[in-house]
Amino acid sequence: MSYGDPNNPYGAPQGQPPGYGYPQQPGQPGQPGYGYPSAPPVQPYGHPGGPVIMPGSVKAARVMLYVLGGFQAIGGLLMVLASSWFADQLEELISDDPAFTAEDADTVASVGAGVMIVLGLIVLAFAAWAIFTAAKFATGRGGVRVSAIIYASLVTLFSVINLLGANVFALISLILGILIIVFCANRNGSYWFNRPPQY
């Protein structure tokens, strides 16, 4: 027997709507009901437990981390590359002083070059920290948030110290550091970094 056969005991009776045997959804006449409630409207963050799309403020904090990390990487490389030039300038300055011998000037220049290289490597490590933290924003959880806040706090602290030394450019890193802290610590940041895992 075919499905359309009126004598078929397993077929749908003739003249019945396609949703026969199942209750209609209330308030939706003419649509077949299947016994299940209709799907809820799409939440702005994808589901009630947390966002699927990264909030704009968290994206902004991520971009700021990339910017700070990029500038620090450039600065660290310049410090390492300029260490020999700095040593030459220091040696020339000290050699003019009769209190220092040529050997003393050479020692001081070597120490100065070493200090520049170490400082450059520290700045490069900070740059790597910022870039790695920003890269983990998409998949990271609370640890990434804490890392970003600690990094931004240190940037803010060093920026204030540089501002006291009349370095006007430190104002930019100060503002970016404060904004990163605010954007990671606010409600959107909390939703994003405490969201349930996606499967």
Side-chain angles (χ1 to χ4, degrees):
M1 293 183 187
S2 67
Y3 182 80
D5 188 350
N7 297 322
N8 181 0
Y10 302 107
Q14 297 298 314
Q16 294 292 332
Y20 173 75
Y22 297 93
Q24 290 284 333
Q25 295 293 323
Q28 298 178 352
Q31 292 185 357
Y34 297 100
Y36 297 101
S38 60
V42 176
Q43 302 288 328
Y45 293 122
H47 59 84
V52 171
I53 299 172
M54 190 184 299
S57 58
V58 178
K59 286 181 183 177
R62 185 185 196 189
V63 170
M64 291 174 198
L65 283 170
Y66 277 128
V67 169
L68 284 173
F71 279 122
Q72 286 175 341
I74 293 170
L77 284 173
L78 288 177
M79 290 174 75
V80 171
L81 294 175
S83 59
S84 61
W85 174 85
F86 178 75
D88 291 340
Q89 296 299 315
L90 193 59
E91 185 175 3
E92 185 179 327
L93 181 66
I94 293 175
S95 62
D96 293 340
D97 192 339
F100 292 97
T101 64
E103 196 174 303
D104 292 338
D106 187 48
T107 303
V108 170
S110 298
V111 170
V115 169
M116 282 286 288
I117 291 173
V118 169
L119 290 176
L121 291 176
I122 291 172
V123 172
L124 284 173
F126 264 83
W129 181 8
I131 292 170
F132 179 75
T133 300
K136 295 294 288 180
F137 262 46
T139 57
R141 293 290 188 268
V144 175
R145 180 187 188 197
V146 171
S147 175
I149 291 173
I150 292 174
Y151 169 83
S153 300
L154 290 174
V155 166
T156 303
L157 174 64
F158 289 126
S159 299
V160 169
I161 294 171
N162 284 329
L163 278 175
L164 294 176
N167 182 0
V168 181
F169 294 106
L171 188 62
I172 297 171
S173 59
L174 175 66
I175 293 171
L176 291 178
I178 291 172
L179 288 176
I180 290 170
I181 294 170
V182 170
F183 290 158
C184 289
N186 69 7
R187 197 170 112 185
N188 284 339
S190 177
Y191 281 151
W192 176 251
F193 290 109
N194 294 322
R195 70 195 185 280
Q198 305 293 312
Y199 297 107

